[in-house]
Amino acid sequence: MAQILFTARSGGSSSGSFDSFNLGGHVGDASKSVADNRRILQSLLSQSAPKFMNQVHGNEVVEVDENTQSSITADALITRMKGVPLAVLSADCLPILVEGESVVAAIHAGRKGILNGIISNTIELIRSKSSGELSAIIGPAICEKCYEVDLDMYLDAINLEPSLATNPETHCLDLKRAAIRELEANEVKVTNLGICTAHDSNYFSYRRDGITGRSAGVIVL
Ligand SMILES: [Zn+2]
C-alpha cells in the first residue's frame, strides 16, 4: 500500500492569508514559512523531501526518481521508486493521487489540465511502464456548486468535455465528475473524498479567498 496524505489549513507556521500550513512557494507567503511548512510535511511523512512541481495547468507528465530535483515544470509526476514522495499543490484544483502495485502518481487537474488531457496522459505513461490495477483518490477540491465560470467559458468547456456540465443558469463546471469519468474510462478505480475547498474553511480556496495558501496531496510508493 502506498502512503497517502492530504494536508488542510492548520498545523503550519504561516500567518495572515496563509494561516497556517501553506506549502505553495509562489503565492506571496514568506519563503521561510513555506520552507518550515515543507519540513513539517516531510516529518509527518517520515520520508525524504517530497518532489514538488512547478505547476502550469498543462499536460506534461514526468517520471522522477530520488535524484530528480524538486520544482520540475509539470502537472503530474509518476515514480516507480519506493520512498520518493510526490506532491501536488492545490487550492480548488483537483489533487489526484494514483496508486498501482509498483508505481504511484500525483496529478494537478484543474479545468485547463482536464481539458488538456493531463489525467489520460498520466495513466498512459503509467501503463507504458507498469502493468496491474490502478486506483485513484480525488482529494479536497472545488465542487460543482462553487466553480462558476462565465457563460462563454462554460459553453466552450462543456463542448470539449460534456461531463463538466451542470446547467446553463448557474454555469458551474463539475471538475470532479469529469475527472472521475476520465479515470474510469482508463479503467482506474476512483475514490472521491467529496470535500469542497470553497465550502469548507478548513481548506485553502483560491475562489473563496483570492490571496491564499496551497495544500498538498502526497503519495509515496
Ligand atoms: Zn463547494
Side-chain angles (χ1 to χ4, degrees):
M1 282 282 283
Q3 184 182 3
I4 281 172
L5 178 149
F6 290 101
T7 66
R9 279 196 83 132
S10 61
S13 65
S14 297
S15 57
S17 302
F18 309 103
D19 179 8
S20 64
F21 201 4
N22 168 45
L23 294 151
H26 298 89
V27 293
D29 194 5
S31 54
K32 183 188 177 303
S33 301
V34 177
D36 285 348
N37 291 338
R38 289 187 176 194
R39 272 191 291 275
I40 293 168
L41 175 66
Q42 188 178 346
S43 69
L44 288 172
L45 293 163
S46 298
Q47 298 281 0
S48 59
K51 305 295 183 191
F52 288 91
M53 295 175 268
N54 171 31
Q55 301 166 179
V56 292
H57 300 279
N59 60 4
E60 187 89 13
V61 189
V62 176
E63 181 172 21
V64 301
D65 59 28
E66 74 274 27
N67 298 317
T68 309
Q69 284 202 323
S70 206
S71 288
I72 189 165
T73 295
D75 283 276
L77 298 177
I78 79 166
T79 191
R80 288 174 286 171
M81 303 287 298
K82 289 191 181 295
V84 177
L86 307 180
V88 47
L89 295 173
S90 62
D92 291 339
C93 284
L94 277 58
I96 304 174
L97 304 177
V98 182
E99 174 183 4
E101 239 169 68
S102 56
V103 64
V104 291
I107 307 173
H108 168 243
R111 174 180 53 86
K112 284 185 192 163
I114 288 172
L115 293 176
N116 284 333
I118 186 65
I119 295 172
S120 291
N121 283 2
T122 308
I123 303 305
E124 268 172 37
L125 184 63
I126 290 174
R127 296 227 193 271
S128 74
K129 294 172 183 287
S130 151
S131 57
E133 291 188 1
L134 298 176
S135 58
I137 297 186
I138 299 175
I142 198 161
C143 83
E144 78 287 354
K145 293 186 178 68
C146 294
Y147 188 45
E148 182 184 340
V149 296
D150 71 46
L151 186 59
D152 284 345
M153 185 181 284
Y154 175 82
L155 294 172
D156 285 348
I158 67 167
N159 187 39
L160 290 165
E161 177 48 65
S163 63
L164 286 166
T166 55
N167 62 74
E169 286 74 40
T170 58
H171 36 86
C172 292
L173 295 174
D174 193 342
L175 298 182
K176 292 182 187 179
R177 190 174 61 182
I180 291 167
R181 189 209 63 75
E182 194 166 346
L183 288 161
E184 289 182 344
N186 282 286
E187 296 177 356
V188 179
K189 186 169 162 276
V190 184
T191 302
N192 175 15
L193 292 187
I195 297 167
C196 173
T197 45
H199 268 98
D200 189 335
S201 59
N202 290 311
Y203 295 88
F204 294 117
S205 170
Y206 178 75
R207 268 307 177 100
R208 186 187 61 226
D209 297 330
I211 296 171
T212 193
R214 298 291 182 273
S215 298
V218 187
I219 188 162
V220 196
L221 186 61

